[in-house]
Amino acid sequence: MKLAVSLVVVSTAIHLLAYLLPQAMPEHLVDGNWPEHARFHMWQATFWLISLDLLILLIALLPFRQGQRWACWALFIGLFGSQLGYFLASSLVPAGRPDTAGADMGLLLVMLLYVAGLVLGWKHLR
């Protein structure tokens, strides 16, 4: 279970930090070319993502590590809102995706670490 928790925690921490880097969300938050309403939603999404990642960290470090089965389900739901959200948004607005393949590959790797942690945790809890 220790490896499962570590994978979820590390991938979530990397995910959170990647979005807080200057070339990610903060760049959009201060972009004067965006309409005020779009920037409002960018701030809103930033708070949601930070809160969701922090909640995932809390669940992983406490109930998931303690082997509580509901925590695995909660982390699975968190996968959709946090890790998979980037790829869902990319499929809905392909022209709005980042220019570099590095963003896709980096976030895919982080998501796969998260999924590996969930799979290991689920096997342990069964």
Side-chain angles (χ1 to χ4, degrees):
M1 195 63 177
K2 192 173 186 176
L3 179 58
V5 171
S6 296
L7 288 171
V8 171
V9 166
V10 167
S11 65
T12 301
I14 292 170
H15 184 263
L16 178 60
L17 292 174
Y19 274 96
L20 296 178
L21 291 174
Q23 66 271 27
M25 281 188 159
E27 174 186 336
H28 299 305
L29 293 172
V30 297
D31 189 340
N33 294 321
W34 284 35
E36 290 298 313
H37 189 69
R39 288 185 34 218
F40 162 81
H41 282 296
M42 205 50 221
W43 277 103
Q44 186 180 33
T46 300
F47 292 127
W48 283 343
L49 186 61
I50 290 168
S51 299
L52 181 56
D53 277 342
L54 291 175
L55 183 61
I56 288 169
L57 287 172
L58 186 66
I59 291 170
L61 289 170
L62 295 173
F64 186 59
R65 184 170 68 186
Q66 295 167 356
Q68 296 181 30
R69 187 171 282 200
W70 72 266
C72 197
W73 287 106
L75 293 175
F76 181 72
I77 293 167
L79 169 69
F80 284 93
S82 180
Q83 303 278 344
L84 193 59
Y86 170 84
F87 297 101
L88 295 173
S90 291
S91 67
L92 292 171
V93 188
R97 294 172 49 188
D99 305 9
T100 64
D104 289 347
M105 296 308 294
L107 290 171
L108 178 62
L109 177 62
V110 169
M111 186 177 72
L112 291 175
L113 290 174
Y114 187 103
V115 169
L118 277 181
V119 169
L120 288 172
W122 182 255
K123 286 183 178 182
H124 179 76
L125 294 174
R126 290 179 57 193

